[in-house]
Amino acid sequence: MHKTVTTKGRTSLNRRTFLGRASALAMTAAVGSTMLASGARAQTAVKGGTLKMGLGGGGSTDSLDPALAANPVTFHLMRTLGEQLVDVTPDGQLEMRLAEEVESDAEAKVWRFKIRQGVTFHNGAVMTPDDVLATLERHSDEDSQSGALGIMQGIESMRVDGDWVEVTLTTANADLPYLMADYHLQIQPNGGRDDAAAGIGAGAYKIVAQEPGVRYTFEKHADYWDSERGHYDAVEFLVINDATARMAALQSGQVHIANLVEPKVAGLLNRAPTLEVKSVSGRGHYVFVMHTDTAPFDNADLRLALKYAVNRAEMVDKILQGFGTIGNDTPINAAYPLFDDSLPQRTFDIEKAAEHYKASGHDGSPIVLKVADTAFPGAVDAAALFQQSAAAAGIPLEIQRVPNDGYWSEVWNKEPFCASYWGGRPVQDQMYTTAYLSTADWNDTRFTNAAFDDLLLQARAELDPAARTATYAQMGAIVHDEGGVIVPMFNDFIEAVSNDVQGWVADGGGDTMNGLAPHKTWLAS
């Protein structure tokens, strides 16, 4: 019945080959072990020590429930505590983690994951296929408020079959294994139903103490299954939302790694003899999001007015200072497979902005944009530039600066106009399903478009890469013209790292090696 398209091991097929094999229904060929940067693999990891990280983007209301992870700190918590069935390597290949094999039927509608044996959770329980099934079921439940709910809504049914978990989709989707790499889908005992926020996972480190918004400490999970990861005895996160204080902590030796480095200080930091600035481009993008179901942003002309009022070139130059590229009001760039570059670039146009603003019939009252430093590095300065360029078109944009603490729980996905960021996702289906599908819990622009939803389902079922590329191009045009997202720029991920940290691998999937710095690096002896 099934044709295997990925096989045992850690890394198998890149996405283009994967999609091609799913289309051609080719049988598995044996593939080598994990393909990471050769320089990192050539080094010998040093075991022991404590890694300390200074992280921005956390708050006092943060939870250890994987479903609720919604900011940089909780992203790192999930990546440190837990593991998914699969992961995606820096070069876009599918990597087997808690699943050993993946196979599909001829239509890419029924998928089966063979669950790895001998994996032990932090509480001593041995992971079973039932734990995997319960995890996927919990994230499919709307009451879970899971950030993965959008991608789970395409599942018709799931069941355990011996060592395998079988997933049947409502429509075919050749990208389904890539969706299982979502960092919310950490496998938990009984799926987290007993206590989702207990912090019990199957990752390299287990939680020892937590003070949300302040500090987290971890110790090495003695029964962790993968000897090639988790070299430290302990890991500590210090939540330091103030960018200046975070960089000071690094320079003083209080932490080894600091995330969310502001481009304006990256050059200065790189001159320090004891540390190095790491930067990598990828799918991350900085955004201003408008709720399309809330006045005045329910007016298409007003949304277009604001989009034309952004001076993207100026923003990239002054905010990113070379660490990124211009955005085009869609979440997709050339880092994605099946990217189509035919969409015309939207540029700063005072006349068009003024024309659409007039057509909107807006009453001239202040249009309030809420922003905080934690939204993205340079967010407050970017908002100020936006205000100036909007004013040139006669648009009364008002900037309201709000506290960092509570921003991700009280402002983002709640207030109708705010600054935010997206780390991107491995494939277009996941990015669009997570944030633009009408029913997605993380649809932070309240974008509801039946044609877009239909095209998304059509793209999933299409196994021909060229046809799928064309469908994604249509979807990108809809978001660009009708959506509530303003994407002025795609950002590089920038971290500052002590020279004592070894084994660093550039990964455009997210900051600090896509959250895996604690797993893959070590301290020089």
Side-chain angles (χ1 to χ4, degrees):
M1 173 186 175
H2 292 84
K3 301 278 188 170
T4 304
V5 292
T6 64
T7 186
K8 288 183 179 180
R10 291 190 175 85
T11 301
S12 293
L13 310 175
N14 66 41
R15 187 193 175 282
R16 288 186 181 274
T17 304
F18 182 89
L19 189 61
R21 290 194 179 184
S23 176
L25 304 175
M27 296 299 291
T28 300
V31 185
S33 60
T34 309
M35 297 175 62
L36 296 176
S38 59
R41 284 300 183 200
Q43 301 178 58
T44 300
V46 176
K47 303 291 185 179
T50 299
L51 176 71
K52 297 184 178 182
M53 298 177 62
L55 299 177
S60 58
T61 60
D62 289 347
S63 170
L64 294 182
D65 180 356
L68 305 180
N71 60 33
V73 169
T74 50
F75 163 75
H76 283 87
L77 288 171
M78 295 310 107
R79 295 292 271 169
T80 301
L81 291 168
E83 287 203 311
Q84 313 90 246
L85 292 175
V86 298
D87 212 340
V88 178
T89 65
D91 54 359
Q93 298 192 54
L94 194 69
E95 179 179 8
M96 299 294 104
R97 299 306 300 166
L98 298 186
E100 290 183 315
E101 297 180 53
V102 183
E103 61 182 35
S104 78
D105 68 352
E107 290 77 32
K109 188 174 181 180
V110 179
W111 289 89
R112 288 163 52 86
F113 298 83
K114 186 176 182 181
I115 306 308
R116 187 177 299 276
Q117 301 295 299
V119 174
T120 303
F121 289 115
H122 298 159
N123 64 356
V126 176
M127 182 188 71
T128 69
D130 289 321
D131 295 313
V132 174
L133 178 63
T135 297
L136 299 182
E137 288 178 339
R138 188 174 81 85
H139 288 273
S140 302
D141 185 349
E142 292 187 5
D143 291 338
S144 71
Q145 298 180 308
S146 175
L149 180 61
I151 62 176
M152 301 302 289
Q153 288 178 331
I155 295 175
E156 179 179 291
S157 64
M158 295 178 282
R159 71 183 184 99
V160 170
D161 180 17
D163 293 338
W164 297 77
V165 172
E166 184 176 279
V167 178
T168 300
L169 305 178
T170 54
T171 59
N173 190 348
D175 279 339
L176 189 277
Y178 283 83
L179 305 189
M180 294 295 104
D182 189 291
Y183 64 89
H184 298 92
L185 299 179
Q186 308 297 328
I187 307 304
Q188 295 180 284
N190 195 27
R193 288 169 169 166
D194 302 322
D195 185 359
I200 298 173
Y205 301 96
K206 59 182 180 180
I207 194 79
V208 174
Q210 61 169 316
E211 189 176 350
V214 181
R215 181 191 306 263
Y216 299 86
T217 56
F218 312 83
E219 66 182 15
K220 177 66 184 293
H221 177 31
D223 295 322
Y224 184 54
W225 66 273
D226 189 351
S227 61
E228 294 185 7
R229 289 190 179 189
H231 308 298
Y232 299 102
D233 291 332
V235 174
E236 183 176 358
F237 292 168
L238 297 179
V239 181
I240 311 173
N241 286 323
D242 181 80
T244 301
R246 195 163 60 253
M247 296 309 114
L250 178 72
Q251 291 175 300
S252 67
Q254 185 180 3
V255 299
H256 299 102
I257 299 172
N259 74 333
L260 303 180
V261 174
E262 293 185 329
K264 65 184 179 182
V265 303
L268 295 174
L269 284 173
N270 219 19
R271 299 175 189 172
T274 59
L275 59 88
E276 183 178 357
V277 172
K278 311 282 190 179
S279 68
V280 59
S281 61
R283 304 170 182 86
H285 47 288
Y286 297 156
V287 297
F288 300 108
V289 292
M290 304 173 280
H291 288 182
T292 58
D293 63 353
T294 305
F297 311 105
D298 55 351
N299 185 296
D301 277 302
L302 183 72
R303 296 197 299 272
L304 284 172
L306 290 166
K307 291 176 182 181
Y308 280 113
V310 176
N311 190 330
R312 290 167 174 75
E314 179 186 41
M315 205 170 283
V316 168
D317 180 55
K318 293 183 177 179
I319 303 301
L320 297 186
Q321 299 192 21
F323 292 96
T325 57
I326 290 175
N328 195 24
D329 297 337
T330 80
I332 306 302
N333 66 355
Y336 281 87
L338 308 184
F339 172 71
D340 180 278
D341 63 359
S342 63
L343 185 67
Q345 174 66 52
R346 179 168 284 137
T347 59
F348 176 48
D349 192 320
I350 294 177
E351 291 185 1
K352 284 188 177 180
E355 176 185 337
H356 282 288
Y357 180 67
K358 182 179 179 180
S360 75
H362 187 254
D363 61 9
S365 60
I367 299 172
V368 178
L369 169 63
K370 294 194 175 183
V371 64
D373 291 318
T374 193
F376 59 79
V380 174
D381 290 339
L385 290 177
F386 190 7
Q387 183 181 40
Q388 293 170 12
S389 58
I395 301 174
L397 187 60
E398 178 181 305
I399 307 303
Q400 186 176 119
R401 189 171 183 177
V402 296
N404 289 320
D405 190 44
Y407 188 83
W408 299 109
S409 59
E410 303 301 326
V411 178
W412 175 76
N413 216 6
K414 288 185 172 61
E415 294 293 336
F417 195 22
C418 72
S420 186
Y421 81 100
W422 279 92
R425 294 296 187 269
V427 291
Q428 294 188 43
D429 179 79
Q430 188 175 3
M431 187 68 241
Y432 280 139
T433 301
T434 300
Y436 296 89
L437 182 67
S438 299
T439 55
D441 197 56
W442 276 16
N443 182 350
D444 60 1
T445 58
R446 307 294 191 269
F447 179 61
T448 302
N449 187 291
F452 178 89
D453 290 352
D454 289 344
L455 286 169
L456 180 58
L457 297 178
Q458 179 182 321
R460 287 177 182 171
E462 179 57 69
L463 299 182
D464 177 64
R468 211 176 201 200
T469 298
T471 302
Y472 283 141
Q474 294 179 62
M475 294 165 63
I478 291 173
V479 172
H480 177 268
D481 295 333
E482 302 177 36
V485 67
I486 300 172
V487 185
M489 46 194 166
F490 281 82
N491 61 286
D492 290 359
F493 295 106
I494 314 174
E495 293 89 37
V497 182
S498 166
N499 291 339
D500 291 335
V501 176
Q502 304 294 301
W504 192 272
V505 178
D507 191 334
D511 64 357
T512 69
M513 294 172 55
N514 198 19
L516 293 179
H519 300 71
K520 296 182 177 181
T521 66
W522 59 90
L523 295 178
S525 57

Coordinates of all heavy atoms in Angstrom, one line a residue, residues 314-384:
E314 N 14.5 52.7 2.7 CA 15.0 53.5 3.8 C 15.0 52.6 5.1 O 16.0 52.6 5.8 CB 14.1 54.7 4.0 CG 14.6 55.5 5.2 CD 13.7 56.7 5.5 OE1 12.4 56.5 5.5 OE2 14.2 57.8 5.8
M315 N 14.0 51.8 5.3 CA 13.9 51.0 6.5 C 14.9 49.9 6.5 O 15.6 49.7 7.5 CB 12.5 50.4 6.6 CG 12.1 50.0 8.0 SD 10.3 49.6 8.1 CE 9.5 51.2 8.1
V316 N 15.2 49.3 5.4 CA 16.2 48.3 5.3 C 17.6 48.9 5.5 O 18.4 48.3 6.2 CB 16.1 47.5 3.9 CG1 17.4 46.7 3.7 CG2 14.9 46.7 3.9
D317 N 17.8 50.1 4.9 CA 19.1 50.7 5.1 C 19.3 51.2 6.5 O 20.4 50.9 7.0 CB 19.1 51.9 4.1 CG 20.4 52.7 4.2 OD1 21.5 52.0 4.0 OD2 20.4 53.9 4.4
K318 N 18.3 51.8 7.1 CA 18.5 52.4 8.4 C 18.3 51.4 9.6 O 18.9 51.6 10.6 CB 17.6 53.6 8.6 CG 18.0 54.8 7.7 CD 17.1 56.0 7.9 CE 17.6 57.1 7.0 NZ 16.7 58.3 7.2
I319 N 17.4 50.5 9.4 CA 17.1 49.5 10.5 C 18.0 48.3 10.4 O 18.6 47.8 11.4 CB 15.6 49.1 10.5 CG1 14.8 50.4 10.6 CG2 15.4 48.2 11.7 CD1 15.0 51.2 11.9
L320 N 18.1 47.7 9.2 CA 18.8 46.4 9.1 C 20.3 46.7 8.8 O 21.1 45.8 9.1 CB 18.2 45.6 8.0 CG 16.8 45.1 8.2 CD1 16.4 44.1 7.1 CD2 16.6 44.4 9.5
Q321 N 20.6 47.8 8.2 CA 22.0 48.2 7.9 C 22.8 47.1 7.3 O 23.9 46.7 7.7 CB 22.7 48.6 9.2 CG 22.0 49.9 9.8 CD 22.8 50.5 10.9 OE1 24.0 50.4 11.0 NE2 22.1 51.3 11.8
G322 N 22.2 46.5 6.3 CA 22.9 45.4 5.5 C 22.6 44.0 6.0 O 23.0 43.1 5.3
F323 N 21.9 43.9 7.1 CA 21.6 42.5 7.6 C 20.2 42.1 7.2 O 19.4 41.7 8.1 CB 21.7 42.5 9.1 CG 23.2 42.7 9.6 CD1 23.6 43.9 10.0 CD2 24.0 41.6 9.7 CE1 24.9 44.1 10.5 CE2 25.3 41.7 10.2 CZ 25.8 43.0 10.5
G324 N 19.9 42.2 5.9 CA 18.6 41.7 5.5 C 18.3 42.3 4.1 O 19.1 43.0 3.5
T325 N 17.0 42.1 3.7 CA 16.6 42.5 2.3 C 15.2 43.1 2.4 O 14.4 42.9 3.3 CB 16.6 41.3 1.4 OG1 15.8 40.3 1.9 CG2 18.0 40.8 1.2
I326 N 14.8 43.7 1.3 CA 13.5 44.4 1.2 C 12.4 43.3 1.1 O 12.5 42.3 0.3 CB 13.5 45.3 -0.1 CG1 14.4 46.5 0.2 CG2 12.1 45.8 -0.4 CD1 14.5 47.4 -1.0
G327 N 11.3 43.6 1.8 CA 10.1 42.7 1.7 C 9.1 43.2 0.7 O 9.2 44.4 0.2
N328 N 8.1 42.4 0.5 CA 7.1 42.8 -0.6 C 5.7 42.4 -0.1 O 4.9 42.0 -1.0 CB 7.5 42.1 -1.9 CG 6.7 42.6 -3.1 OD1 6.3 43.8 -3.1 ND2 6.6 41.8 -4.1
D329 N 5.4 42.6 1.1 CA 4.0 42.3 1.7 C 3.5 40.9 1.5 O 2.3 40.7 1.3 CB 3.1 43.4 1.1 CG 3.4 44.8 1.6 OD1 4.2 44.9 2.6 OD2 3.1 45.7 0.9
T330 N 4.4 40.0 1.4 CA 4.1 38.6 1.5 C 5.1 37.9 2.5 O 6.3 38.5 2.6 CB 4.1 37.8 0.2 OG1 5.4 37.5 -0.2 CG2 3.5 38.6 -0.9
P331 N 4.8 36.8 3.1 CA 5.8 36.2 4.0 C 6.8 35.3 3.3 O 7.6 34.7 4.0 CB 4.9 35.4 4.9 CG 3.8 34.9 4.0 CD 3.5 36.1 3.1
I332 N 6.8 35.3 2.0 CA 7.6 34.3 1.3 C 8.7 35.0 0.5 O 8.5 36.1 -0.2 CB 6.8 33.5 0.3 CG1 5.6 32.8 1.0 CG2 7.6 32.5 -0.4 CD1 6.0 31.9 2.1
N333 N 9.9 34.5 0.6 CA 11.1 35.1 -0.2 C 11.8 34.0 -0.9 O 11.4 32.8 -0.9 CB 12.0 35.9 0.7 CG 12.7 35.1 1.8 OD1 12.5 33.9 1.9 ND2 13.6 35.7 2.5
A334 N 12.9 34.3 -1.4 CA 13.7 33.3 -2.3 C 14.3 32.2 -1.5 O 14.8 31.2 -2.0 CB 14.8 34.0 -3.1
A335 N 14.2 32.3 -0.1 CA 14.8 31.2 0.7 C 13.9 30.0 0.7 O 14.3 28.9 1.1 CB 14.9 31.7 2.2
Y336 N 12.6 30.2 0.2 CA 11.7 29.1 0.2 C 11.8 28.3 -1.1 O 12.0 28.8 -2.2 CB 10.2 29.6 0.3 CG 9.8 30.0 1.7 CD1 10.0 31.2 2.2 CD2 9.1 29.0 2.5 CE1 9.6 31.6 3.5 CE2 8.7 29.4 3.7 CZ 9.0 30.6 4.2 OH 8.6 30.9 5.5
P337 N 11.6 26.9 -1.0 CA 11.5 26.2 -2.2 C 10.2 26.5 -3.0 O 9.3 27.0 -2.3 CB 11.5 24.7 -1.7 CG 11.0 24.8 -0.3 CD 11.5 26.1 0.2
L338 N 10.2 26.4 -4.2 CA 9.0 26.7 -5.1 C 8.7 28.2 -5.0 O 7.5 28.5 -5.2 CB 7.8 25.8 -4.7 CG 8.1 24.3 -4.6 CD1 6.8 23.6 -4.3 CD2 8.7 23.8 -5.9
F339 N 9.7 29.0 -4.8 CA 9.5 30.5 -4.8 C 9.3 31.0 -6.2 O 10.1 30.6 -7.1 CB 10.6 31.2 -4.1 CG 10.6 32.7 -4.2 CD1 9.6 33.4 -3.5 CD2 11.5 33.4 -5.0 CE1 9.6 34.8 -3.6 CE2 11.4 34.7 -5.1 CZ 10.5 35.5 -4.4
D340 N 8.4 31.9 -6.5 CA 8.2 32.5 -7.8 C 8.5 34.0 -7.6 O 7.9 34.7 -6.7 CB 6.7 32.3 -8.2 CG 6.4 32.9 -9.6 OD1 6.2 34.1 -9.6 OD2 6.5 32.2 -10.6
D341 N 9.3 34.5 -8.5 CA 9.8 35.9 -8.3 C 9.1 36.9 -9.3 O 9.5 38.0 -9.5 CB 11.3 36.0 -8.5 CG 11.7 35.6 -9.9 OD1 10.9 35.2 -10.7 OD2 12.9 35.7 -10.2
S342 N 7.9 36.5 -9.8 CA 7.3 37.3 -10.8 C 6.4 38.4 -10.1 O 6.0 39.3 -10.9 CB 6.4 36.5 -11.7 OG 5.3 35.8 -10.9
L343 N 6.2 38.4 -8.8 CA 5.3 39.4 -8.2 C 6.0 40.7 -8.2 O 7.2 40.8 -7.7 CB 5.0 39.0 -6.8 CG 4.0 39.9 -6.0 CD1 2.6 39.8 -6.6 CD2 4.0 39.5 -4.5
P344 N 5.5 41.8 -8.8 CA 6.1 43.1 -8.8 C 6.4 43.6 -7.4 O 5.6 43.4 -6.5 CB 5.1 44.0 -9.5 CG 4.2 43.0 -10.3 CD 4.1 41.8 -9.5
Q345 N 7.6 44.2 -7.3 CA 8.0 44.8 -6.0 C 7.2 46.0 -5.7 O 7.2 47.0 -6.5 CB 9.5 45.1 -6.0 CG 10.0 45.8 -4.8 CD 9.9 45.0 -3.5 OE1 10.3 43.8 -3.5 NE2 9.2 45.5 -2.5
R346 N 6.5 46.1 -4.5 CA 5.8 47.3 -4.1 C 6.8 48.3 -3.6 O 7.7 47.9 -2.8 CB 4.8 47.0 -3.0 CG 4.0 48.2 -2.5 CD 2.8 47.8 -1.7 NE 1.7 47.3 -2.5 CZ 1.0 46.3 -2.3 NH1 1.2 45.5 -1.2 NH2 0.0 45.9 -3.1
T347 N 6.7 49.5 -4.0 CA 7.7 50.5 -3.6 C 6.9 51.7 -2.9 O 5.7 51.8 -3.0 CB 8.4 51.1 -4.9 OG1 7.4 51.7 -5.8 CG2 9.2 50.0 -5.6
F348 N 7.7 52.5 -2.2 CA 7.2 53.7 -1.6 C 6.6 54.6 -2.6 O 7.3 55.1 -3.5 CB 8.3 54.3 -0.8 CG 7.9 55.6 -0.1 CD1 6.7 55.7 0.6 CD2 8.8 56.7 -0.2 CE1 6.4 56.9 1.3 CE2 8.4 57.9 0.5 CZ 7.3 58.0 1.2
D349 N 5.3 55.0 -2.5 CA 4.7 55.8 -3.5 C 3.7 56.7 -2.8 O 2.6 56.3 -2.4 CB 3.9 54.9 -4.5 CG 3.5 55.7 -5.8 OD1 3.0 56.8 -5.6 OD2 3.5 55.1 -6.9
I350 N 4.1 58.0 -2.6 CA 3.3 58.9 -1.9 C 2.0 59.2 -2.6 O 0.9 59.3 -1.9 CB 4.1 60.3 -1.7 CG1 5.3 60.1 -0.8 CG2 3.2 61.4 -1.1 CD1 6.2 61.3 -0.6
E351 N 2.0 59.3 -3.9 CA 0.8 59.6 -4.6 C -0.2 58.4 -4.5 O -1.4 58.7 -4.2 CB 1.1 59.8 -6.1 CG 1.9 61.1 -6.3 CD 2.0 61.4 -7.8 OE1 1.6 60.6 -8.7 OE2 2.7 62.4 -8.2
K352 N 0.2 57.2 -4.6 CA -0.7 56.1 -4.5 C -1.2 55.9 -3.0 O -2.3 55.6 -2.8 CB 0.0 54.8 -4.9 CG 0.1 54.6 -6.4 CD 0.6 53.2 -6.8 CE 0.7 53.1 -8.3 NZ 1.2 51.7 -8.7
A353 N -0.3 56.2 -2.1 CA -0.7 56.1 -0.7 C -1.8 57.2 -0.4 O -2.8 56.8 0.2 CB 0.5 56.3 0.2
A354 N -1.6 58.4 -0.9 CA -2.6 59.4 -0.7 C -3.9 59.1 -1.4 O -5.0 59.4 -0.9 CB -2.0 60.8 -1.2
E355 N -3.8 58.6 -2.6 CA -4.9 58.2 -3.4 C -5.8 57.2 -2.7 O -7.0 57.3 -2.6 CB -4.5 57.7 -4.8 CG -5.6 57.2 -5.7 CD -5.1 56.6 -7.0 OE1 -3.9 56.9 -7.4 OE2 -5.8 55.8 -7.6
H356 N -5.1 56.1 -2.2 CA -5.9 55.1 -1.5 C -6.4 55.6 -0.2 O -7.5 55.2 0.2 CB -5.0 53.8 -1.3 CG -4.9 53.0 -2.6 ND1 -5.9 52.2 -3.1 CD2 -3.8 52.8 -3.4 CE1 -5.5 51.6 -4.2 NE2 -4.2 51.9 -4.4
Y357 N -5.7 56.4 0.5 CA -6.1 56.9 1.8 C -7.4 57.8 1.5 O -8.4 57.6 2.3 CB -5.1 57.8 2.4 CG -5.5 58.4 3.8 CD1 -5.8 57.5 4.8 CD2 -5.7 59.7 3.9 CE1 -6.2 58.0 6.1 CE2 -6.2 60.2 5.1 CZ -6.4 59.4 6.2 OH -6.8 59.9 7.4
K358 N -7.4 58.6 0.5 CA -8.6 59.4 0.2 C -9.8 58.5 -0.2 O -10.9 58.7 0.3 CB -8.3 60.3 -1.0 CG -9.5 61.2 -1.3 CD -9.1 62.2 -2.5 CE -10.3 63.1 -2.8 NZ -10.0 64.0 -4.0
A359 N -9.5 57.4 -1.0 CA -10.6 56.5 -1.4 C -11.1 55.7 -0.2 O -12.3 55.3 -0.2 CB -10.0 55.5 -2.4
S360 N -10.4 55.6 0.9 CA -10.8 54.8 2.0 C -11.9 55.6 2.8 O -12.7 54.9 3.5 CB -9.7 54.5 3.0 OG -9.3 55.7 3.7
G361 N -12.0 56.9 2.6 CA -13.0 57.7 3.4 C -12.7 57.8 4.8 O -13.5 58.1 5.6
H362 N -11.4 57.5 5.2 CA -11.1 57.6 6.6 C -11.3 59.0 7.2 O -11.1 60.0 6.5 CB -9.6 57.2 6.8 CG -9.2 57.1 8.3 ND1 -8.4 58.0 8.9 CD2 -9.4 56.2 9.2 CE1 -8.2 57.7 10.1 NE2 -8.8 56.6 10.3
D363 N -11.7 59.1 8.4 CA -12.1 60.4 9.0 C -11.0 61.3 9.5 O -11.2 62.4 10.0 CB -13.1 60.2 10.2 CG -12.5 59.4 11.3 OD1 -11.3 59.1 11.3 OD2 -13.2 59.0 12.2
G364 N -9.7 60.8 9.3 CA -8.6 61.7 9.7 C -8.1 61.5 11.1 O -7.2 62.1 11.6
S365 N -8.8 60.6 11.9 CA -8.4 60.4 13.3 C -7.1 59.6 13.3 O -6.8 58.9 12.3 CB -9.5 59.7 14.0 OG -9.8 58.4 13.4
P366 N -6.4 59.7 14.4 CA -5.1 58.9 14.5 C -5.3 57.4 14.2 O -6.2 56.8 14.8 CB -4.6 59.2 15.9 CG -5.3 60.5 16.3 CD -6.6 60.5 15.6
I367 N -4.4 56.9 13.4 CA -4.3 55.4 13.2 C -3.2 54.9 14.1 O -2.0 55.2 13.9 CB -4.0 55.1 11.7 CG1 -5.1 55.7 10.9 CG2 -3.9 53.6 11.5 CD1 -4.8 55.6 9.4
V368 N -3.6 54.2 15.2 CA -2.6 53.8 16.2 C -1.9 52.5 15.9 O -2.5 51.5 15.7 CB -3.4 53.7 17.6 CG1 -2.4 53.3 18.7 CG2 -4.0 55.0 17.9
L369 N -0.6 52.6 15.9 CA 0.3 51.5 15.7 C 1.0 51.2 17.1 O 1.7 52.1 17.6 CB 1.3 51.7 14.6 CG 2.5 50.7 14.5 CD1 1.9 49.3 14.1 CD2 3.5 51.2 13.5
K370 N 0.8 50.0 17.7 CA 1.4 49.7 18.9 C 2.7 49.0 18.7 O 2.8 48.1 17.8 CB 0.5 48.9 19.8 CG -0.8 49.7 20.3 CD -1.5 49.0 21.4 CE -2.7 50.0 21.8 NZ -3.4 49.4 23.0
V371 N 3.7 49.3 19.4 CA 5.0 48.8 19.2 C 5.8 48.7 20.5 O 5.6 49.5 21.4 CB 5.8 49.6 18.1 CG1 6.1 51.0 18.6 CG2 7.1 48.9 17.7
A372 N 6.7 47.8 20.6 CA 7.7 47.7 21.7 C 9.0 47.2 21.2 O 9.1 46.6 20.1 CB 7.1 46.7 22.8
D373 N 10.1 47.4 21.9 CA 11.4 46.9 21.5 C 11.4 45.4 21.2 O 12.1 45.0 20.3 CB 12.4 47.3 22.6 CG 12.7 48.7 22.7 OD1 12.8 49.4 21.6 OD2 12.8 49.2 23.8
T374 N 10.6 44.7 22.0 CA 10.7 43.2 21.9 C 10.0 42.7 20.6 O 10.2 41.5 20.2 CB 10.0 42.6 23.1 OG1 10.3 41.2 23.1 CG2 8.4 42.8 23.0
A375 N 9.3 43.6 19.9 CA 8.6 43.1 18.6 C 9.6 42.6 17.6 O 9.4 41.6 17.0 CB 7.7 44.3 18.0
F376 N 10.7 43.4 17.4 CA 11.8 42.9 16.7 C 12.9 44.0 16.9 O 12.6 45.1 17.3 CB 11.5 42.7 15.2 CG 11.0 44.0 14.4 CD1 11.8 45.0 14.0 CD2 9.6 44.1 14.1 CE1 11.4 46.1 13.3 CE2 9.1 45.2 13.4 CZ 10.0 46.2 13.0
P377 N 14.2 43.6 16.7 CA 15.3 44.6 16.9 C 15.1 45.8 16.0 O 15.0 45.7 14.8 CB 16.5 43.8 16.5 CG 16.2 42.3 16.8 CD 14.7 42.3 16.4
G378 N 15.0 47.0 16.6 CA 14.8 48.2 15.9 C 13.4 48.5 15.6 O 13.1 49.4 14.8
A379 N 12.5 47.8 16.3 CA 11.0 48.0 16.0 C 10.6 49.4 16.2 O 9.8 50.0 15.4 CB 10.2 47.0 16.8
V380 N 11.0 50.0 17.3 CA 10.5 51.4 17.6 C 11.1 52.4 16.6 O 10.3 53.3 16.2 CB 11.0 51.8 19.1 CG1 10.7 53.2 19.4 CG2 10.3 50.8 20.1
D381 N 12.3 52.2 16.2 CA 12.9 53.1 15.2 C 12.2 52.9 13.9 O 12.0 53.9 13.1 CB 14.4 52.9 15.1 CG 15.2 53.3 16.3 OD1 14.6 54.2 17.0 OD2 16.3 52.8 16.5
A382 N 11.9 51.6 13.5 CA 11.2 51.4 12.3 C 9.8 52.0 12.3 O 9.4 52.5 11.2 CB 11.1 49.8 12.1
A383 N 9.1 51.9 13.4 CA 7.8 52.6 13.5 C 7.9 54.1 13.3 O 7.0 54.7 12.7 CB 7.2 52.2 14.8
A384 N 8.9 54.7 13.8 CA 9.1 56.1 13.7 C 9.3 56.5 12.2 O 8.8 57.5 11.7 CB 10.3 56.6 14.5

